Amino acid sequence: MTRLLPLAAALLVVTAFGAAHAADPTPPTAWYWHNWTDHDGISHMTRCPFHNYDLKTMSKPAGPQWQDHVHEGNARIISTVQPAHWDGSWHPDPKVQWIIPLKGSWYVTAMDGKKVVMGPGDVSLGEDQMSRKDAKGHIGHFAGNIGDGPVTLMVIQTDEQPTTDQPCRFH
């Protein structure tokens, strides 16, 4: 019921401003990859939905848009450019962080062997800080670039505490 009130209010705003067409009242679903750790210290990559959207304006008089407030709190925003053929080796993420490729493609391989290739438009949540070295000495994830050019990423490091056994916890 609480989601219906903001949605109804947002639709009224669209109507009040005389929009030629009303926004689709069906909330969208977008996706992200979650690099999470299980209770045995093994990292995994799981495709997860963003789907707790409310239709509202971010700043009046801008029209309403679908918003899913994933994190509230402190964050550090880092733009990084990885040189061509960058090799991330095995490592855990330094913080719970959102990683968004802006240019080029890169991959993340979890300790369970799942490899995900991501490019512009993809989103990844790195949360493998609780991983532990396995018999091969692997910990966290292995990352690297695809192709012969650099890869530009936007990294948003949060103040979230890392968890275990909580794939898709931000949905």
Side-chain angles (χ1 to χ4, degrees):
M1 184 66 165
T2 59
R3 293 212 179 260
L4 293 178
L5 292 175
L7 176 58
L11 290 175
L12 286 174
V13 168
V14 170
T15 305
F17 281 96
H21 58 281
D24 182 353
T26 305
T29 299
W31 300 92
Y32 69 97
W33 287 99
H34 188 183
N35 182 14
W36 61 280
T37 305
D38 67 22
H39 60 276
D40 291 324
I42 304 299
S43 64
H44 306 271
M45 293 292 287
T46 301
R47 190 169 183 242
C48 305
F50 289 118
H51 57 74
N52 290 326
Y53 287 100
D54 289 319
L55 186 60
K56 58 187 175 182
T57 185
M58 192 172 291
S59 178
K60 292 181 181 183
Q65 56 187 310
W66 292 105
Q67 299 175 40
D68 183 349
H69 287 250
V70 177
H71 172 78
E72 305 236 358
N74 293 320
R76 170 188 249 176
I77 301 171
I78 303 166
S79 173
T80 181
V81 179
Q82 299 168 336
H85 309 288
W86 178 79
D87 174 354
S89 194
W90 285 99
H91 68 282
D93 288 296
K95 302 239 180 214
V96 176
Q97 60 188 15
W98 295 95
I99 305 162
I100 305 156
L102 301 175
K103 182 179 178 188
S105 295
W106 71 304
Y107 66 88
V108 173
T109 303
M111 293 169 68
D112 68 2
K114 182 162 185 138
K115 179 179 181 178
V116 175
V117 175
M118 292 168 272
D122 291 320
V123 178
S124 174
L125 173 62
E127 187 183 17
D128 60 1
Q129 294 82 7
M130 306 300 284
S131 60
R132 297 188 298 268
K133 281 189 180 178
D134 63 12
K136 298 177 186 175
H138 299 164
I139 187 169
H141 63 280
F142 192 97
N145 292 356
I146 305 288
D148 292 327
V151 174
T152 304
L153 304 171
M154 181 66 64
V155 180
I156 304 166
Q157 294 182 332
T158 73
D159 59 359
E160 295 283 344
Q161 293 301 308
T163 63
T164 57
D165 292 322
Q166 292 189 42
C168 302
R169 74 177 176 125
F170 293 107
H171 62 54

